Amino acid sequence: MHPRRPDGFDGLGYRGGLRDEQGFGGAFPARSFSSASDLSHWVTTPPDIPGSRNLHWGEKSPPYGVPAPSTPLEGPAEEAFPGGGSSSVAGKSSEQLNRFAGFGIGLASLFTENVLAHPCIVLRRQCQVNYHARNYHLTPFTVINIMYSFNKTQGPRALWKGMGSTFIVQGVTLGAEGIISEFTPLPREVSHKWNPKQIGEHLLLKSLTYMVAMPFYSASLIETVQSEIIRDNAGILECVKEGIGRVIGLGVPHSKRLLPLLSLIFPTVLHGVLHYIISSVIQKLVLFVLKRKTYNSHLAESTSPMQSMLDAYFPELIANFAASLCSDVILYPLETVLHRLHIQGTRTIIDNTDLGYEVLPINTQYEGMRDCINTIRQEEGMFGFYKGFGAVIIQYTLHAAVLQITKIIYSTLLQNSI
């Protein structure tokens, strides 16, 4: 989302122009400033910064070291609102609650996506790379049963392994995207007046970012699927060490079946770009429908302040939730193929997802993406691409429940404050 700033914003001209357009006319005529002394009385900040104090015509900043006068401003605005002191305090209190609630809602969503859902991600990846499995775990009921078995035999750490490496991969991805966009003309954002060239350059930036993060993603995948029974207590930066070692050919010894990084570029970039495109399209579509529905409901009947505040935050969260869900479901078969290619030849030992208390080695011999797809279809059937899909159902059910609980808490707080 882009801040709504005027094309040519210089502070003074913007304030005067805005006042004239809003019908203040002669009450606030535009001024011309001929000297720096006139400009010294003005303090302006961009209008989209929360908490900024923007002075308007007739207001002056007090000189340095001199306290501001405590006399109230005189004018028709004060007379129009008797008892404005209490309403001002209530407005500030409501604004502070609104900001706090908005931060809390976003934090709850991030916590659900990256922390609460991590056990589902661990089991989902283990099922995807387990070509031995006879139980595909397509429903959440079998997934809950196997989660309980892992927790009972190996402890809680079996379901939370590799969580630090997932944050490192996200940090590397964001950092790489920022650095590449700074030193190249590739745009990080697509403007509303987009064209095919801009879209292509933006997707090229995303592709380069996925290429840079690819070895670290591979190391993070190994940490999340490696069995806790034979896993060493690696440090939080082990993902970085293994990623760099994968690039330069050092680190933990691998077998001859290990696929080179060059052969992993296409499936990794394909999955990343398609996931980004699908999620972006779904997000924009859902957000458009929700905002249109909200606008129509506002026209049909008066809306309470509480509902207005809810409409300011939750449509975007719901759009992000729907976008992530749709992209994960649509690309789940491709993700299964991608994970098997990344894990091949790394001498990784995973948990037995059929029994819940044994370990299994990964000894696949795929020659590439096409061979992996054909082998899965022939030996495991079409449902072989959806192994562990029940974990996705649990993951997004938890996410939807957290969003609903957060909305209820937020509504209760607003009702008590209004």
Side-chain angles (χ1 to χ4, degrees):
M1 298 179 64
H2 300 276
R4 296 182 178 177
R5 302 176 185 234
D7 295 334
F9 176 77
D10 58 357
L12 303 176
Y14 174 72
R15 298 293 176 193
L18 179 63
R19 293 266 165 172
D20 292 339
E21 289 176 4
Q22 291 180 347
F24 286 91
F28 300 98
R31 293 187 181 182
S32 61
F33 295 88
S34 56
S35 63
S37 61
D38 292 329
L39 295 177
S40 63
H41 296 300
W42 281 84
V43 178
T44 58
T45 53
D48 55 350
I49 299 179
S52 62
R53 182 176 185 268
N54 300 323
L55 300 180
H56 303 296
W57 297 107
E59 298 183 12
K60 295 184 179 180
S61 298
Y64 178 77
V66 179
S70 58
T71 58
L73 294 176
E74 298 179 359
E78 287 292 323
E79 300 173 0
F81 299 97
S86 59
S87 62
S88 175
V89 173
K92 290 182 179 180
S93 175
S94 177
E95 182 180 359
Q96 291 177 355
L97 178 62
N98 193 18
R99 291 180 180 179
F100 174 77
F103 174 77
I105 292 170
L107 186 63
S109 180
L110 290 176
F111 175 80
T112 306
E113 292 177 4
N114 298 284
V115 180
L116 191 61
H118 190 75
C120 300
I121 296 175
V122 169
L123 188 60
R124 155 185 170 181
R125 290 180 174 182
Q126 283 191 323
C127 293
Q128 285 177 320
V129 301
N130 187 2
Y131 64 97
H132 305 278
R134 294 295 175 261
N135 191 341
Y136 288 6
H137 298 292
L138 301 176
T139 64
F141 307 105
T142 58
V143 171
I144 294 176
N145 185 34
I146 202 67
M147 279 184 174
Y148 174 77
S149 299
F150 285 157
N151 184 75
K152 183 178 179 180
T153 56
Q154 304 179 33
R157 293 183 57 183
L159 298 176
W160 300 94
K161 55 191 175 185
M163 186 171 65
S165 64
T166 58
F167 288 109
I168 291 178
V169 172
Q170 292 181 13
V172 170
T173 303
L174 293 175
E177 183 177 351
I179 293 174
I180 295 174
S181 64
E182 285 293 329
F183 292 94
T184 62
L186 302 178
R188 293 188 70 177
E189 301 287 344
V190 178
S191 63
H192 296 288
K193 299 179 180 179
W194 56 270
N195 53 64
K197 179 182 178 182
Q198 189 180 30
I199 294 292
E201 292 176 346
H202 181 65
L203 294 180
L204 178 59
L205 172 64
K206 292 293 182 180
S207 301
L208 295 176
T209 301
Y210 298 137
M211 289 174 59
V212 173
M214 181 177 62
F216 306 100
Y217 179 83
S218 181
S220 174
L221 175 64
I222 295 174
E223 286 192 19
T224 54
V225 302
Q226 182 89 345
S227 176
E228 192 69 20
I229 297 176
I230 53 93
R231 185 169 176 262
D232 298 329
N233 293 326
I236 192 172
L237 297 179
E238 188 70 18
C239 173
V240 179
K241 177 183 175 182
E242 291 297 326
I244 297 176
R246 183 78 180 265
V247 175
I248 62 180
L250 300 177
V252 178
H254 302 108
S255 67
K256 295 181 180 180
R257 297 186 301 274
L258 180 70
L259 294 174
L261 289 178
L262 289 178
S263 62
L264 296 177
I265 289 179
F266 176 73
T268 303
V269 172
L270 178 64
H271 176 267
V273 171
L274 287 179
H275 194 282
Y276 175 74
I277 292 175
I278 294 173
S279 60
S280 298
V281 172
I282 297 296
Q283 181 187 18
K284 298 294 184 184
L285 181 61
V286 173
L287 196 59
F288 173 78
V289 172
L290 291 177
K291 287 190 174 182
R292 188 177 182 86
K293 181 180 178 181
T294 302
Y295 177 76
N296 293 334
S297 63
H298 287 181
L299 293 179
E301 55 184 7
S302 59
T303 306
S304 62
M306 180 188 69
Q307 187 63 36
S308 299
M309 292 181 182
L310 291 175
D311 294 338
Y313 291 105
F314 279 94
E316 188 168 353
L317 291 177
I318 295 174
N320 292 336
F321 169 80
S324 181
L325 173 62
C326 292
S327 55
D328 280 354
V329 171
I330 294 174
L331 296 178
Y332 196 87
L334 180 59
E335 185 183 70
T336 300
V337 174
L338 176 66
H339 288 169
R340 293 201 182 188
L341 294 177
H342 271 279
I343 211 72
Q344 176 173 303
T346 58
R347 296 185 176 180
T348 302
I349 296 178
I350 65 172
D351 296 310
N352 189 330
T353 56
D354 287 337
L355 302 177
Y357 52 84
E358 291 182 354
V359 294
L360 298 170
I362 299 296
N363 296 319
T364 55
Q365 298 182 5
Y366 305 123
E367 297 180 359
M369 181 177 176
R370 180 179 297 179
D371 180 55
C372 181
I373 294 174
N374 293 332
T375 303
I376 294 175
R377 185 172 60 245
Q378 293 173 4
E379 297 182 359
E380 303 172 50
M382 292 303 298
F383 287 113
F385 294 99
Y386 291 92
K387 284 185 174 181
F389 189 77
V392 177
I393 301 176
I394 296 177
Q395 175 183 344
Y396 285 99
T397 301
L398 286 175
H399 195 173
V402 170
L403 286 179
Q404 187 63 29
I405 293 173
T406 307
K407 184 176 182 180
I408 294 174
I409 296 175
Y410 186 28
S411 302
T412 305
L413 291 175
L414 288 176
Q415 285 178 349
N416 295 334
S417 63
I418 295 177

